[in-house]
Amino acid sequence: MTDPRLDALRHAAPALRLKTDPADLEHYGRDWTRRWTPAPLAIALPGDVEEVQAVVRWARAQGIALVPSGGRTGLSGGAVAAAGEIVVSLERMNRALEFDPIDRTLTVQAGMPLEALHNAAREHGLQYPVDFAARGSCTIGGNIATNAGGIRVIRYGNTREWIAGLKVVTGAGEVLHLNRGLIKNSSGYDLRQLFVGSEGTLGIVVEATVRLTDPPPPSNVMLLALPSFDVLMKVFAAFRERLQLEAFEFFTGRALHHVLAHGAQPPFAEMHPYYVVTEFAIGDEAREAAAMAAFEHCLEQGWVGDGVISQSDAQAAQLWRLREGITEALARHKPYKNDVSVRVSRMPAFLEETQALLGRAYPDFDVVWFGHIGDGNLHINVLKPEGLDDAVFVRQCEDVTRLLAQSLARHEGSISAEHGIGLVKKGYLESTRSAAEIAVMRGIRGVLDPDGIMNPGKLFDLL
Ligand code: FAD
Ligand code: MLT
Ligand code: ZN
């Protein structure tokens, strides 16, 4: 017997695809966090904007919560449906709609995977530059909702910088067509940017017009082995001073240990405590000389113990795999993830304080550090020891996160640099945002989602 409320939905949108099989409820009800047991009422898979609108209007009338859903690669529990919600999956709305060569924009449906967007841009001889390891599964809608960052922020910025226009269905069921691809538009509040990073709490992004840019320059990838943590920012300064950096990423020997255990090949004869993978533009002798000068300077200073530079695209991919493979390699250890940021200028002091704090707080756990150090963004993953109860582990980690949040507040940093707040970091939002800011966000949410149906329980609680 089907739920009578779903019969009403079928009546409102007769062609809407709905899934209610237990396997589907489980599949679509979770993201990468795996901390909550999925329990949605059903999965709606709209095929166009009108069907999205029909679902929202029906949900308002029935008082049923909606969880917008992209590729469910999110790391903050934003797409989790564990309380009888309807998951609104955009997976059928995944097409490119319009390319404009003069504006250099591409309009796509929100369910398009990031990698498909990269390919579509390349077909037009251009580039969509936001990039990270989940590219094959995550969607542009999810990227917008989390303001995703990734490995090229140092050069190109976050998702926010690349959104020229959005079409959204608000929690009130209205369709808004925001900014319409304009470069200049001083006509009041930029509602488009409100939706970037809104984590599905204001409405559903159904279409995005993204800016494209010149294809990436020819580049080389260099892997560096570092003897200690305190030279990290010095190596960064040495490379940034001399080169046009496309990426500057860091990881620890513990991270490499897990990636190697997952099947990667060791880059050097010996293991080192810290590593950097950096990519920079080449193409002329001056740039190549600058790369060698940066490396030699670091070597002379004793900041770098070993290094390798890619000689082919295949080798560049192999070096990148050492950094990009970390998340998958750690997944079986059920990591507790921190995704924190401070201004780059604050990084040395913050790193020193955090290292001391975590050394005291986590004496027995395997703590794996990596991240986008050139953007001031650190990922600190704590691995669950085998045999330790999941809930006890999370509780112990949360005790440390409270201290980390206090440190971030002192350094004026953020408890979430790029993954979003979702369920995972909701309790710490106040370390990053003032009470006055949260009150304004609550007010905005009330206007765009008057009945509180959009992803309730995520980001902050409705009062
Ligand atoms: P989902 O997980 O499905 O959803 C994320 C949030 O967006 C939820 O709150 C959901 O409700 C909302 N949402 C989804 N679609 C819509 C829509 N159409 N309208 C409104 N709201 C919507 N993130 C980074 O920023 N940088 C990285 O380097 C990075 N690397 C990763 C590597 C791996 C291996 C993995 C697994 C994840 C990584 N992530 C990274 C996290 C994740 O991929 C991003 O947060 C991504 O933007 C999520 O996209 P998604 O489509 O999977 O969204
Ligand atoms: C990364 O930088 O690799 C991603 O943000 C994923 C993660 O933190 O695990
Ligand atoms: Zn990251």
Side-chain angles (χ1 to χ4, degrees):
M1 210 177 71
T2 62
D3 189 303
R5 293 170 301 175
L6 293 181
D7 291 336
L9 178 56
R10 286 194 186 91
H11 186 71
L16 177 69
R17 211 170 284 177
L18 278 176
K19 293 187 180 195
T20 51
D21 282 356
D24 288 323
L25 300 183
E26 168 136 13
H27 175 71
Y28 288 91
R30 57 161 44 136
D31 65 3
W32 258 63
T33 50
R34 302 288 194 268
R35 205 190 287 177
W36 290 269
T37 308
L41 175 64
I43 319 302
L45 297 112
D48 58 29
V49 177
E50 289 69 32
E51 284 190 347
V52 174
Q53 211 176 4
V55 173
V56 173
R57 287 181 171 161
W58 163 84
R60 276 194 83 179
Q62 298 284 341
I64 287 191
L66 300 178
V67 178
S69 182
R72 293 172 302 286
T73 64
L75 299 169
S76 69
V80 166
E85 307 93 331
I86 298 286
V87 173
V88 184
S89 165
L90 277 287
E91 77 180 24
R92 292 180 59 226
M93 294 175 63
N94 59 9
R95 282 180 301 115
L97 299 175
E98 192 186 350
F99 170 65
D100 191 310
I102 310 269
D103 294 327
R104 291 181 135 195
T105 55
L106 185 63
T107 300
V108 301
Q109 292 180 306
M112 175 176 268
L114 177 60
E115 194 167 45
L117 178 52
H118 290 158
N119 295 339
R122 208 173 296 123
E123 277 168 26
H124 294 295
L126 294 168
Q127 176 193 195
Y128 178 73
V130 176
D131 193 18
F132 48 93
R135 60 183 74 81
S137 319
C138 71
T139 63
I140 183 66
N143 298 170
I144 290 165
T146 55
N147 186 25
I151 57 176
R152 304 204 180 266
V153 171
I154 194 171
R155 170 94 167 96
Y156 297 102
N158 300 287
T159 299
R160 186 180 295 291
E161 271 80 34
W162 296 93
I163 303 306
L166 286 182
K167 190 183 276 187
V168 301
V169 176
T170 69
E174 302 294 335
V175 176
L176 303 181
H177 200 164
L178 304 172
N179 198 58
R180 298 169 187 265
L182 293 172
I183 293 172
K184 301 189 78 172
N185 184 1
S186 295
S187 60
Y189 308 138
D190 192 342
L191 302 181
R192 155 195 58 160
Q193 291 295 357
L194 263 186
F195 278 82
V196 181
S198 62
E199 302 189 33
T201 62
L202 302 180
I204 301 177
V205 176
V206 288
E207 288 174 19
T209 298
V210 300
R211 283 186 216 297
L212 305 180
T213 187
D214 293 333
S219 62
N220 264 343
V221 176
M222 199 185 267
L223 180 75
L224 304 168
L226 276 53
S228 67
F229 208 34
D230 56 333
V231 298
L232 185 56
M233 297 313 285
K234 294 177 184 165
V235 174
F236 173 56
F239 273 75
R240 187 168 64 168
E241 218 167 80
R242 294 171 174 85
L243 295 162
Q244 179 189 305
L245 295 181
E246 299 283 309
F248 192 91
E249 301 274 311
F250 131 90
F251 52 96
T252 58
R254 284 309 297 165
L256 182 62
H257 162 84
H258 288 285
V259 175
L260 297 182
H262 206 63
Q265 291 304 310
F268 301 121
E270 286 169 32
M271 288 294 281
H272 296 262
Y274 302 96
Y275 299 89
V276 159
V277 64
T278 179
E279 185 167 333
F280 44 82
I282 49 158
D284 57 43
E285 274 176 26
R287 285 178 180 203
E288 277 163 41
M292 284 326 292
F295 178 69
E296 275 157 19
H297 176 71
C298 292
L299 209 56
E300 277 160 21
Q301 297 295 321
W303 300 339
V304 158
D306 209 341
V308 56
I309 188 161
S310 61
Q311 304 295 329
S312 64
D313 287 354
Q315 197 185 3
Q318 225 172 24
L319 295 177
W320 263 119
R321 190 173 162 218
L322 301 175
R323 162 65 183 88
E324 291 210 304
I326 297 171
T327 306
E328 270 203 60
L330 299 185
R332 66 191 176 93
H333 300 286
K334 299 189 173 176
Y336 179 93
K337 284 178 173 290
N338 291 291
D339 160 41
V340 300
S341 65
V342 292
R343 294 198 303 276
V344 178
S345 58
R346 292 268 187 142
M347 206 29 130
F350 178 69
L351 281 177
E352 202 180 315
E353 194 176 315
T354 307
Q355 240 197 335
L357 166 68
L358 298 193
R360 283 193 307 272
Y362 283 133
D364 302 326
F365 292 162
D366 188 1
V367 182
V368 178
W369 297 58
F370 59 100
H372 320 283
I373 201 80
D375 315 324
N377 178 187
L378 267 183
H379 296 309
I380 304 165
N381 283 214
V382 188
L383 308 195
K384 189 177 87 65
E386 255 177 65
L388 182 61
D389 177 73
D390 288 10
V392 172
F393 171 66
V394 169
R395 250 196 325 274
Q396 291 186 1
C397 292
E398 300 272 320
D399 288 342
V400 184
T401 304
R402 266 184 284 283
L403 301 175
L404 188 60
Q406 287 167 11
S407 162
L408 281 164
R410 279 195 303 279
H411 288 279
E412 300 180 321
S414 175
I415 194 72
S416 176
E418 57 173 10
H419 296 164
I421 296 291
L423 291 169
V424 166
K425 292 293 178 319
K426 190 170 71 170
Y428 309 98
L429 184 62
E430 279 142 31
S431 66
T432 299
R433 298 299 200 105
S434 68
E437 274 183 286
I438 296 171
V440 172
M441 290 202 277
R442 200 168 265 129
I444 291 167
R445 194 165 172 175
V447 170
L448 287 162
D449 177 25
D451 298 314
I453 58 164
M454 291 309 312
N455 225 358
K458 315 290 171 51
L459 189 50
F460 52 81
D461 284 322
L462 303 166
L463 288 178

